[in-house]
Amino acid sequence: MGLLKDRRTYDQQCGLAYALDVLGERWTLLIVRELLIRPRRYGELLDALQGIGTNLLADRLGFLVEAGLVRPLDPQRRTAGYALTELGERMREPVLSLARFGLTYAAHQPPPAASVTRPAWAILATDAMLDDARAPGIDEVYGFDVDGEQFHVVVEGGRAVLHPTAAPDATLHVKTDAKTFFQLGVRRLDPLEAVLAGSVQVSGPPAAMSRCLRLLGLAGNPPG
């Protein structure tokens, strides 16, 4: 209990305060983000979180392990990797909700200078953009390739579920780069204009593309 005991807390009997006691420190939620995508090796986390520093990453991971949110894949080897525990996986919906808020907020903000975009982040962004209320009344699969990072969305029975793997038999295939994907996600770029410009390549029925855009909330015009 060393790391837990040494951490400052809000000392408030409040669910949000308890959550922030564990997750409120800088970089912690971004570590959770990476592990929500898939288990990660230590070096992969260090590479994805540029600027964190190896000592700080080790500290944050050790704290999350002690808190019961993260487990080492091999306790004897730090480099073997980390994954979320069942408790850690319960952060998925809160993180997706924050991501939805962030995409809305980012649409009205200038992008930070020298900001970084990574293909894997498109997986969580897509999951955040999905809305079963907009799911089409037809079963189909949408495959995505963002700078080589492949994933797909299965729509079945009015429900959309993201899978972080390729889908060769997808009804619709969408291929683009990470920066273009983010511009689409924050609605700074119109999807049809991106297709016409060649920054997004689509193969599949036009009707499926329309349904996919609606499912992701991208069917309307981007904000001015």
Side-chain angles (χ1 to χ4, degrees):
M1 294 291 290
L3 290 174
L4 286 176
K5 189 174 73 172
D6 294 340
R7 282 299 200 277
R8 295 178 62 184
T9 74
Y10 288 101
D11 292 323
Q12 296 181 8
Q13 295 296 305
C14 162
L16 179 60
Y18 272 107
L20 291 175
D21 284 344
V22 179
L23 299 163
E25 290 188 304
R26 181 171 168 81
W27 295 108
T28 300
L29 274 178
L30 296 185
I31 294 172
V32 172
R33 175 196 66 191
E34 294 301 315
L35 297 179
L36 282 171
I37 296 170
R38 62 174 66 93
R40 298 288 200 190
R41 292 181 179 274
Y42 186 86
E44 291 174 329
L45 288 170
L46 200 60
D47 182 59
L49 303 169
Q50 292 183 12
I52 188 173
T54 185
N55 291 337
L56 185 55
L57 175 58
D59 174 80
R60 294 290 189 267
L61 283 169
F63 178 72
L64 290 170
V65 168
E66 193 168 320
L69 274 69
V70 170
R71 61 178 178 86
L73 297 178
D74 182 348
Q76 305 303 317
R77 293 190 304 123
R78 187 177 72 175
T79 56
Y82 295 84
L84 292 175
T85 63
E86 183 178 348
L87 179 62
E89 278 289 342
R90 294 179 66 178
M91 279 301 302
R92 184 173 298 277
E93 282 308 314
V95 168
L96 292 179
S97 293
L98 283 171
R100 280 189 285 272
F101 169 79
L103 289 171
T104 301
Y105 181 76
H108 305 284
Q109 302 296 320
S115 58
V116 177
T117 307
R118 290 183 174 271
W121 298 343
I123 297 175
L124 210 63
T126 300
D127 209 0
M129 293 159 68
L130 296 176
D131 186 346
D132 288 347
R134 299 190 297 256
I138 186 173
D139 297 346
E140 54 193 1
V141 179
Y142 310 130
F144 298 85
D145 183 330
V146 180
D147 277 335
E149 188 77 50
Q150 297 186 56
F151 54 98
H152 67 283
V153 174
V154 176
V155 180
E156 188 174 14
R159 185 164 180 263
V161 179
L162 184 140
H163 301 271
T165 56
D169 57 346
T171 312
L172 183 78
H173 290 274
V174 180
K175 185 176 182 179
T176 188
D177 60 90
K179 289 185 177 180
T180 297
F181 188 91
F182 184 76
Q183 294 297 313
L184 291 167
V186 298
R187 296 175 64 81
R188 294 195 192 115
L189 180 63
D190 181 271
L192 298 181
E193 291 180 3
V195 171
L196 292 174
S199 55
V200 175
Q201 294 89 49
V202 178
S203 59
M209 178 180 174
S210 296
R211 290 190 289 267
C212 180
L213 290 176
R214 183 173 182 275
L215 177 65
L216 296 174
L218 300 176
N221 293 324

